[in-house]
Amino acid sequence: MSESRMGIADPAAPAEVLAIGTEVVIGRIQDTNSSWLAQRLTEAGARVDRITAVADDPDLLENVWRDAVARRASLVLATGGLGPTPDDLTVEVAAAVAGVEVIQHPEVIASYRRRRELSESEPLPPHLYKMSSVPEGATVFENGPGWAPAFAIRVGETVLACMPGPPSEMQWLWEDSLGPLAAGWFGGRTESARVLVTMFESQVSPILGLVMDRHPNSYLKAYVALGSRNVGLPVDVIVRREPGGSELPEVMATLRALVESAGAEIRPWS
């Protein structure tokens, strides 16, 4: 919709993911959004350093955001707190952190009227009026399957981006708007592969460390919970792609050489 105070995220600085909602921190709702978004941010080329969950408490939320700004995070991608209930306070707190007022966004209101087939003279339902609120000057992204829009606003060197909590709406907004922006900010996709290594964790862990030492853009992780004592361990190989080509084949070659020199094998994961 509109774009004013967002700017661009710094690709060299880490990104963070934030889940907002008391229902999350008391364990009533499982936070699947954060893992989904962390994976997508990593694929876009971002380095995700933190995933945080916070209750619907304005002081706690403000402190979390101000701490991220003080750390000079490139992007804090938040979900939750954009609904019509009294405990949905994300807009108000984001505006306070950015030092701006809360406004009813005219393009969001126009979209609501169009989608509800309401004339200009008909009153807007109170819950829609609340969900048309955004921080003044924020970039606003229309929510196709839902009502509360996403928005993004810059505070210092950090972009605060806020998305609705329902996974279907969050995922739609990522694919439609915020995902393409993140890919542009962070330089494209991160490449990954999963293989099976016929070793125990104590045997493979030093090898993974050696690979990461030789290839600083790589991250390797063995998953004991998914392994078999008789077969081996699955290992994820994740490489941030830099301009000029892919380093994944080199990382895989290093891993294979070290594993084979230890008398073990790398097999396809299935």
Side-chain angles (χ1 to χ4, degrees), residues 4 6 8 18 26 30 38 53 64-65 111 142 145 176 181 199 201 210 222-223 234 243 245 248:
S4 179
M6 181 177 65
I8 62 173
L18 172 62
I26 66 173
Q30 185 176 6
V64 167
W65 266 331
S111 173
E142 185 170 359
D176 181 74
L181 279 176
M199 304 176 82
E201 183 184 23
L210 285 173
Y223 297 102
L248 182 61

Side-chain angles (χ1 to χ4, degrees), residues 156-234:
E157 298 179 28
T158 302
V159 175
L160 306 181
C162 300
M163 309 168 72
S168 60
E169 298 179 28
M170 177 275 295
Q171 292 176 17
W172 187 93
L173 279 156
W174 174 264
E175 299 295 343
D176 181 74
S177 303
L178 287 162
L181 279 176
W185 290 335
F186 297 108
R189 299 181 64 84
T190 296
E191 299 176 295
S192 64
R194 177 172 289 184
V195 294
L196 183 74
V197 179
T198 59
M199 304 176 82
F200 296 114
E201 183 184 23
S202 60
Q203 297 170 314
V204 76
S205 293
I207 289 176
L208 304 186
L210 285 173
V211 176
M212 287 187 280
D213 286 343
R214 295 183 188 180
H215 302 278
N217 285 333
S218 70
Y219 172 75
L220 284 76
K221 175 68 177 179
Y223 297 102
V224 177
L226 300 178
S228 166
R229 294 183 63 87
N230 298 321
V231 179
L233 293 174

Side-chain angles (χ1 to χ4, degrees), residues 1 40 65 120 130 168-169 183-184 205-206 210 239 265:
M1 286 184 174
R40 298 316 183 277
W65 266 331
E120 291 292 331
K130 182 179 188 303
S168 60
E169 298 179 28
S205 293
L210 285 173
V239 180
E265 295 180 84

Side-chain angles (χ1 to χ4, degrees), residues 124-141:
L124 200 67
H127 71 284
L128 291 185
Y129 190 73
K130 182 179 188 303
M131 287 191 290
S132 73
S133 300
V134 297
E136 185 178 13
T139 301
V140 180
F141 308 96

Side-chain angles (χ1 to χ4, degrees), residues 77-91:
L77 191 54
T79 59
L82 298 179
T85 60
D87 62 342
D88 289 318
L89 301 170
T90 295
V91 172

